[in-house]
Amino acid sequence: MQRTIDWAEGAVVIIDQTALPREFRLLRLETVDELISAIQRLAVRGAPALGAAGALGVALSALRHKGKTGNVLADAERLAHARPTAVNLSWGVRRALAKLPEGPEGVLAEAKAMLDEDERVNRQASGRAAELILERCERRPLRLLTHCNAGRLATVGWGTALGVVWHLHDAGHVEYVFADETRPLLQGARLTAWELAEAGVPYRVLPDSAAASAVARGLVDCVVVGADRIAANGDVANKVGTYGLALAAARHGVPFVVVAPQSTVDPELPAGGGIVIEERADDEVTTVAGTRIAPEGAPAFNPAFDVTPADLIFAVVTENGVFP
Ligand code: MRU
């Protein structure tokens, strides 16, 4: 299966997520500038995929600027700050940069190893989460709800929250998945729906604003989401809308499970209040598919993420274990 992000013949190759589901196309990125632009346009997105992008970006730079450490450090700094919320991006940059003393080939080898590792740890984390959900939820088959896209497109391969769906579906335990559409960039409607259809999992796309009532009406056995940064106290930053979903799940006694690789945990950050929330352009809210829907000049509030406090979360699951 085509990886979301990979290395081929001296360049970074990504699935262009701005084109899905209309078109499946690959982009070849040959410079750090092209990669940063792809990250900022969300052509490559999702916390674990951003970790891989950071590492491959350092490899691109190291190969281009052989022996010029200053240039590589400057590129690494720009890459690490291309988007502020997912900690995986700076983690990926740092990890690849640590191999710079071994030369560009050492950096590239580390970045490639990280690609393999990503799929392995996400399979593991999502397998653990699937077991936990089977223990916690009695109803069979399960009715799950997810937000944004935490599938193979948000990782190098496999996925985190959708990885749980793949495990459960393979075992015949999924009745359906509700995929929140995820305003304003519609990662749920465009990407999660595409992945679920590809995998043959029954699903329905719902407006974000319908999720709380779906939970209240008893149509959801478990909510499962990914994460962009997890603070040391277990507070979780994820796509905006996650917090509201967690409140609804808590109110109705539905378990709310977060699945992420350990690289999403930021042990230096004591609590979620310290997480920088990316604010994106107004026109992502005031236009839909290029058509203006709000009056000309209408200002918007467009935070890309929100923070869910740990006490609303049933468990955070990584490849290293289940953290209640
Ligand atoms: O803005 P995006 O699309 O990069 O946001 C992605 C999310 O919020 C995902 O839920 C998160 O990165 C987890 S991906 C396994």
Side-chain angles (χ1 to χ4, degrees), residues 25-295:
R25 70 174 179 228
L26 301 180
L27 290 181
R28 220 181 121 74
L29 310 170
E30 297 185 349
T31 66
V32 169
D33 284 350
E34 286 173 7
L35 179 57
I36 288 176
S37 158
I39 290 170
Q40 292 176 338
R41 291 183 287 114
L42 273 54
V44 59
R45 48 149 294 282
L50 290 178
L56 290 171
V58 175
L60 264 184
S61 177
L63 287 162
R64 164 167 293 213
H65 302 295
K66 281 192 183 132
K68 295 186 190 151
T69 304
N71 293 28
V72 181
L73 290 176
D75 280 346
E77 186 69 11
R78 291 193 302 127
L79 278 162
H81 292 101
R83 292 186 75 192
T85 305
V87 71
N88 310 62
L89 180 56
S90 55
W91 167 85
V93 167
R94 259 201 325 277
R95 199 168 139 181
L97 208 51
K99 295 289 176 183
L100 200 54
E102 295 174 24
E105 283 71 26
V107 175
L108 182 58
E110 180 72 352
K112 284 181 174 173
M114 289 166 69
L115 300 180
D116 296 336
E117 187 182 295
D118 177 90
E119 184 169 341
R120 197 170 59 244
V121 300
N122 289 325
R123 270 181 194 270
Q124 237 176 333
S126 55
R128 280 182 194 278
E131 282 170 23
L132 178 76
I133 291 168
L134 287 173
E135 278 166 26
R136 174 64 175 75
C137 303
E138 279 170 14
R139 192 183 190 280
R140 300 284 184 275
L142 291 158
R143 301 156 313 164
L144 304 164
L145 188 148
T146 191
H147 190 67
C148 192
N149 172 268
R152 76 170 173 106
L153 292 168
T155 59
V156 174
W158 190 253
T160 60
L162 282 190
V164 178
V165 173
W166 311 145
H167 283 296
L168 292 172
H169 178 66
D170 285 351
H173 293 314
V174 177
E175 182 172 337
Y176 59 71
V177 176
F178 273 133
D180 278 358
E181 64 172 349
T182 320
R183 278 278 294 155
L185 296 180
L186 307 177
Q187 289 93 329
R190 295 187 302 106
L191 308 176
T192 298
W194 182 79
E195 286 198 49
L196 289 166
E198 186 187 44
V201 179
Y203 73 92
R204 277 185 284 175
V205 177
L206 71 167
D208 299 337
S209 46
S213 70
V215 171
R217 286 168 60 188
L219 302 176
V220 176
D221 301 309
C222 183
V223 177
V224 55
V225 297
D228 289 87
R229 190 181 295 241
I230 303 172
N233 72 342
D235 292 349
V236 168
N238 190 48
K239 178 56 55 194
V240 69
T242 302
Y243 174 45
L245 205 49
L247 285 169
R251 173 72 172 79
H252 298 285
V254 170
F256 185 93
V257 175
V258 175
V259 191
Q262 191 66 36
S263 53
T264 306
V265 178
D266 184 351
E268 321 244 295
L269 198 73
I275 298 173
V276 177
I277 300 295
E278 175 183 4
E279 293 226 4
R280 295 185 58 88
D282 289 15
D283 64 3
E284 290 182 352
V285 175
T286 57
T287 64
V288 171
T291 302
R292 171 162 287 280
I293 51 166

